[in-house]
């Protein structure tokens, strides 16, 4: 990750969001389960809700958009204004459908947290280079179009295969990088060890600028992890239905949360 991390992104991304009026947030990444199936991972949805709540406290209207695979997690978390948008990357009407969604909701900003971005061959891949195109809605098209239209976009990721990672030197930095690297770029890209942590970094930067703590409580983070597990999420590394994020016990995420809170204190 250190090989493709880009500096000076968090501050400008937070400054852009501070003036946002209507933000669309997407998240949800299908990963391999222990028994070889696919399920949405724990990294992403809870953090997306935390960012949405922070932006809501700043007076911003927030919508969430995900697909049939991952939307149940956001629904279980109580995300209001949730759109389920199933788009196929091979649909010849893809661009038209993405434009229709954007023109209907007219977001001032888009944020992606741990959400698949297509690779150069037009398919979506897990970190282990498993092709998951049939299980992924092409929500990265919203970001491609938004960028064309001049709507600010922010991508948060940790593996190189997510929305926002386009243009970063992924190919040689990660295993299977040549195949899985996303070609979908965003105006600002937050690369972090775990996407949830990068999202806390962004909320921390918003908190610092606003002069108040907008981060979730540790109790909320734990409770939301339980909620997404109950709704069918699995850990992205082990594929287990366990209170973990990217193979790490939830305590490590809580430590990071408090470190961000300390750094962003007014
Ligand atoms: Ca991750």
């Amino acid at each position: 990750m250190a090989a493709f991390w880009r500096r000076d992104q968090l501050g400008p991304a937070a400054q852009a969001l501070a003036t946002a009026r209507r933000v669309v947030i997407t998240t949800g990444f299908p990963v391999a389960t222990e028994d070889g199936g696919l399920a949405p991972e724990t990294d992403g949805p809870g953090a997306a809700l935390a960012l949405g709540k922070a932006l809501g406290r700043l007076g911003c209207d927030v919508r969430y958009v995900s697909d049939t695979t991952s939307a149940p997690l956001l629904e279980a978390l109580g995300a209001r204004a949730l759109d389920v948008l199933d788009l196929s990357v091979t649909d010849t009407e893809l661009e038209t459908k993405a434009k229709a969604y954007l023109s209907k909701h007219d977001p001032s900003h888009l944020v992606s947290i741990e959400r698949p971005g297509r690779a150069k061959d037009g398919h979506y891949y897990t970190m282990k280079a498993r092709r998951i195109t049939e299980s992924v809605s092409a929500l990265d098209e919203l970001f491609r179009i938004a960028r064309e239209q001049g709507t600010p976009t922010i991508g948060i990721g940790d593996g190189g295969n997510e929305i926002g990672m386009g243009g970063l030197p992924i190919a040689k930095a990660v295993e299977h990088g040549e195949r899985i690297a996303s070609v979908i770029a965003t105006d600002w890209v937050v690369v972090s060890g775990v996407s949830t942590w990068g999202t806390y970094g962004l909320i921390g930067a918003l908190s610092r600028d606003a002069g108040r703590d907008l981060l979730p409580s540790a109790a909320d983070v734990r409770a939301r992890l339980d909620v997404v597990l109950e709704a069918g999420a699995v850990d992205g590394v082990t594929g287990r239905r366990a209170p973990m994020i990217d193979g790490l016990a939830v305590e490590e995420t809580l430590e990071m949360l408090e470190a961000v809170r300390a750094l962003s204190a007014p």
Side-chain angles (χ1 to χ4, degrees):
M1 180 276 287
F4 58 92
W5 177 71
R6 186 174 285 179
R7 69 167 53 243
D8 297 332
Q9 300 291 301
L10 264 186
Q15 279 161 21
L17 279 179
T19 62
R21 301 176 308 284
R22 292 174 304 281
V23 178
V24 165
I25 301 175
T26 188
T27 190
F29 209 120
V31 294
T33 58
E34 278 183 301
D35 60 10
L38 281 175
E41 69 166 301
T42 54
D43 190 20
L49 193 83
L51 177 63
K53 287 197 174 290
L55 290 168
R57 288 171 66 189
L58 293 174
C60 187
D61 281 338
V62 175
R63 301 194 72 82
Y64 302 87
V65 61
S66 194
D67 53 17
T68 300
T69 309
S70 296
L73 274 53
L74 287 164
E75 192 173 4
L77 286 167
R80 273 175 283 175
L82 170 61
D83 301 314
V84 181
L85 186 60
D86 289 313
L87 301 173
S88 168
V89 74
T90 56
D91 185 351
T92 52
E93 299 289 304
L94 174 61
E95 184 172 331
T96 309
K97 289 175 181 172
K99 281 182 173 165
Y101 179 86
L102 290 175
S103 98
K104 180 176 178 192
H105 297 295
D106 191 26
S108 64
H109 295 68
L110 281 84
V111 183
S112 169
I113 302 167
E114 189 79 358
R115 175 78 207 172
R118 76 193 72 156
K120 65 183 177 194
D121 68 357
H123 286 284
Y124 301 98
Y125 293 95
T126 67
M127 289 281 296
K128 289 168 186 157
R130 174 167 170 180
R131 207 165 100 172
I132 51 172
T133 311
E134 286 68 33
S135 306
V136 172
S137 172
L139 300 179
D140 54 348
E141 183 74 358
L142 299 177
F143 287 72
R144 195 183 72 74
I145 300 292
R147 248 192 137 206
E148 266 182 19
Q149 296 178 339
T151 304
T153 54
I154 297 165
I156 302 175
D158 57 28
N161 51 346
E162 305 96 345
I163 292 174
M165 304 295 131
L168 299 183
I170 309 294
K172 293 187 171 63
V174 301
E175 204 181 350
H176 314 297
E178 193 71 51
R179 173 172 301 199
I180 71 169
S182 168
V183 295
I184 302 295
T186 47
D187 296 303
W188 297 281
V189 56
V190 176
V191 177
S192 49
V194 176
S195 294
T196 291
W197 300 356
T199 309
Y200 294 159
L202 184 58
I203 303 171
L206 284 169
S207 301
R208 185 197 56 192
D209 293 351
R212 59 190 171 126
D213 184 1
L214 302 168
L215 286 157
S217 69
D220 280 346
V221 169
R222 271 186 196 276
R224 288 172 191 161
L225 183 54
D226 288 343
V227 165
V228 297
L229 289 166
E230 188 62 34
V234 299
D235 170 50
V237 171
T238 61
R240 288 170 48 206
R241 204 161 162 183
M244 302 168 82
I245 299 177
D246 276 3
L248 303 169
V250 62
E251 285 72 21
E252 302 216 30
T253 285
L254 296 177
E255 263 182 48
M256 188 61 72
L257 171 69
E258 296 314 323
V260 172
R261 199 188 313 276
L263 276 172
S264 57

